[in-house]
Amino acid sequence: MSNSKFTTNELMAVTASRLLKDGQNIVVGLGLPQVATLLAKSTHAPHLNIIFEIGVVNPESVDTGVGIADPRLWYRSDYFTSFIGSLGHILQRGLVDVGFLGGLQIDKFGNINSTGVHEKDYFRHINGSGGAADIASYSKNIFAIAKHQKRKIVDMVDFITTVGYLNGGATRENSGLPKCKSIRIITNLCVMNFNNELREMQIESIHPGVTKDQIIENTGFDIKFAGDLKETDLPDDNEIYLLRNVIDPKKLYI
């Protein structure tokens, strides 16, 4: 434990990093997922393999990039391939342990929307899948980081860009997709999993200072709390030092 002050984003990055294991292959998106993965590799998981969907593996960038196509992110990479190389030869061969994503909305069955949202009488297109649909379809586990708001943690996403557990239970596998071992969602209020028969979102841990009522008020459906509910562990001094001085010194994401 530590008495150091930390930001919510720092807590989210630390919490996510601790869920990653040494030796895993991680396909990671830009932002807090990238920060969390780099932190894990700098601490307890030195043999973790970081894969960007563009085809860059294990970069050692000095500057924080502004997109996965930013060449500054590719510095001293172990391996350069392509979208086909990373998503085809690595991901679709079943070699990815964790797909680490973000999104506009996440629903109670872990489906992610990064395409667009309904606003009054029209559908506002925002972005799209990129490789997210493939990554969630073929990764053994899915992690996502999101802001905990009613419009983001919802009963049903406006558009399924990325399949989680589809309609719950075994519906994902029954639709023909590979089985997903676990999904974890890290927000600014809590950590959520789907470790129940219905494969429905439930609260695993609550961040320090956050109440159950805050979570309920900021969730777009009747959220469940796990029977073994706990408080999220605090970051330690070394993790905070690495985040602020090594991984994201310009504070682009934390």
Side-chain angles (χ1 to χ4, degrees), residues 9-241:
N9 280 355
E10 287 169 344
L11 176 61
M12 292 166 68
V14 168
T15 301
S17 76
R18 291 174 176 174
L19 296 174
L20 302 173
K21 299 175 183 177
D22 199 17
Q24 287 185 321
N25 299 321
I26 317 293
V27 175
V28 60
L30 203 64
L32 282 179
Q34 176 198 2
V35 169
T37 307
L38 288 170
L39 179 61
K41 188 156 186 167
S42 300
T43 52
H44 65 279
H47 303 106
L48 180 151
N49 293 304
I50 298 173
I51 305 163
F52 292 145
E53 65 184 66
I54 200 171
V56 177
V57 180
N58 285 337
E60 296 181 7
S61 55
V62 175
D63 293 323
T64 307
V66 295
I68 59 171
D70 187 335
R72 292 177 297 175
L73 275 183
W74 312 345
Y75 182 63
R76 296 186 65 182
S77 297
D78 285 349
Y79 184 60
F80 291 92
T81 176
S82 62
F83 277 108
I84 293 175
S86 59
L87 299 187
H89 297 164
I90 299 174
L91 175 69
Q92 293 188 17
R93 285 175 61 200
L95 301 178
V96 172
D97 296 294
V98 178
F100 205 157
L101 307 168
L104 293 170
Q105 296 175 319
I106 303 172
D107 70 22
K108 66 180 180 182
F109 294 124
N111 303 303
I112 301 173
N113 171 21
S114 57
T115 299
V117 292
H118 291 294
E119 291 188 353
K120 296 182 180 179
D121 297 327
Y122 70 100
F123 184 78
R124 182 186 175 196
H125 187 274
I126 306 293
N127 192 0
S129 172
D134 300 75
I135 291 165
S137 295
Y138 290 96
S139 296
K140 297 172 186 175
N141 303 276
I142 302 167
F143 290 177
I145 285 184
K147 193 163 186 180
H148 207 126
Q149 299 174 338
K150 270 191 174 182
R151 64 191 182 94
K152 289 183 173 290
I153 309 299
V154 297
D155 184 65
M156 182 182 296
V157 291
D158 290 351
F159 186 95
I160 298 180
T161 311
T162 304
V163 175
Y165 287 119
L166 196 55
N167 296 312
T171 55
R172 174 189 169 99
E173 298 95 284
N174 292 343
S175 73
L177 287 173
K179 185 176 181 179
C180 178
K181 292 180 180 179
S182 71
I183 299 177
R184 292 304 238 306
I185 312 297
I186 301 95
T187 77
N188 52 306
L189 300 181
C190 60
V191 178
M192 298 175 282
N193 65 37
F194 299 76
N195 299 339
N196 52 59
E197 189 175 348
L198 291 176
R199 292 298 195 181
E200 187 173 327
M201 186 184 289
Q202 63 182 16
I203 308 301
E204 171 183 323
S205 73
I206 299 177
H207 297 337
V210 176
T211 67
K212 285 186 176 182
D213 285 342
Q214 280 180 276
I215 294 171
I216 292 168
E217 289 167 8
N218 287 281
T219 304
F221 59 95
D222 186 14
I223 189 75
K224 296 178 173 64
F225 292 83
D228 56 350
L229 182 69
K230 60 183 182 180
E231 183 174 87
T232 307
D233 290 333
L234 298 174
D236 64 36
D237 291 331
N238 183 52
E239 288 166 324
I240 295 300
Y241 174 84

